[in-house]
Amino acid sequence: MPGSLASSASSIPLPRSFYERHTVRVAKGLLGKVLVRRLGATELRGLIVEAEAYRGQDDPASHAYVGRTERNQVMFGQPGHAYVYFTYGMHYCLNVTTEPIGQAGAVLIRAAQPVKGIEAMRKKRGSDRIRDLTNGPAKLTEAFAVTTALNGHDLTTVSGLFIAENDKLEPFRIESTSRIGIRAGLDKPWRFFIKGNPFVSKK
DNA sequence: CTAAAGATGTCCT
DNA sequence: GGACATCTTTAGA
């Protein structure tokens, strides 16, 4: 698969400074980066193709809109950590924290393009179709075995879960829409995805 | 293919 | 008690 969008060998985590910025900027910046999951001898990799920005007081769609609570506290903490929550009684969602300490912010990773460990993802998902493996926030966490056990996990060191730069990435265009599955804050176009990528959720 | 509805646990008022 | 940053299955065109 030389030259393909999916090829990447980097295992260097993105630095803290990448995350310590305005959440919208981080959300756009994460497109094309590589989500890496290490489970013993198995390594899973996925190219991030869709993400949403959630901020704090100025964002009625955010968990942090109501202020600091036990669930959302990691959104207020150090940038570059995983914020994982459980929703709809059966699903997990993976976010990465943004903005300086004390300021709430997180980016929801909504979809990825499987790059490595596809067979392992198939087993976890119980699905044959590659396109259905990671084309949605809860599908992605299931394929990557992400649960609240990883809530607060630091993503800036090589470990069981981190995000790396992509070595060989073809140019792409970013498209934006309002965020999915929310009632408030629909005016903000804070959902970003790689235009034309088949692994983007919805359509 | 689209649309509708059910499953199910946790958070927060 | 209501809402929920979702997915799957089923029914129908």
Side-chain angles (χ1 to χ4, degrees):
Chain A
M1 52 167 126
S4 83
L5 185 69
S7 60
S8 162
S10 174
S11 289
I12 303 173
L14 298 174
R16 187 89 55 209
S17 56
F18 175 89
Y19 300 100
E20 194 168 9
R21 297 182 291 158
H22 191 289
T23 309
V24 168
R25 249 192 112 57
V26 178
K28 292 183 193 172
L30 282 171
L31 299 180
K33 299 295 190 285
V34 183
L35 181 66
V36 184
R37 182 85 168 105
R38 290 182 171 172
L39 299 164
T42 307
E43 185 178 85
L44 310 177
R45 283 175 178 259
L47 193 74
I48 296 171
V49 299
E50 180 179 350
E52 286 179 354
Y54 289 88
R55 297 188 79 234
Q57 286 191 322
D58 63 337
D59 184 4
S62 172
H63 287 171
Y65 184 62
V66 297
R68 190 189 293 250
T69 67
E70 185 167 359
R71 177 176 63 164
N72 68 25
Q73 57 176 332
V74 2
M75 287 184 74
F76 291 82
Q78 191 177 45
H81 288 250
Y83 169 46
V84 184
Y85 64 86
F86 186 70
T87 191
Y88 288 107
M90 60 191 79
H91 298 306
Y92 298 99
C93 287
L94 171 65
N95 302 246
V96 303
T97 60
T98 60
E99 313 272 352
I101 291 181
Q103 192 170 337
V107 173
L108 170 66
I109 311 293
R110 285 192 56 88
Q113 173 172 342
V115 172
K116 185 178 177 190
I118 292 174
E119 280 314 308
M121 294 184 201
R122 266 204 250 261
K123 279 188 180 171
K124 295 185 196 311
R125 290 275 301 124
S127 171
D128 283 338
R129 302 185 57 201
I130 295 181
R131 205 161 79 240
D132 293 333
L133 256 30
T134 54
N135 64 334
K139 299 180 190 177
L140 184 147
T141 54
E142 189 175 34
F144 276 74
V146 171
T147 69
T148 49
L150 286 164
N151 190 38
H153 178 86
D154 189 353
L155 299 168
T156 63
T157 64
V158 174
S159 64
L161 181 69
F162 62 97
I163 300 173
E165 187 61 67
N166 193 349
D167 293 339
K168 301 168 185 173
L169 185 59
E170 295 176 5
F172 59 86
R173 284 187 172 278
I174 295 176
E175 198 134 325
S176 67
T177 69
S178 72
R179 293 165 290 181
I180 306 284
I182 55 169
R183 307 286 297 247
L186 290 169
D187 54 311
K188 293 176 167 56
W190 285 358
R191 170 184 180 233
F192 305 100
F193 57 91
I194 293 181
K195 186 175 182 177
N197 188 284
F199 294 89
V200 169
S201 72
K202 301 291 177 182
K203 198 180 54 170

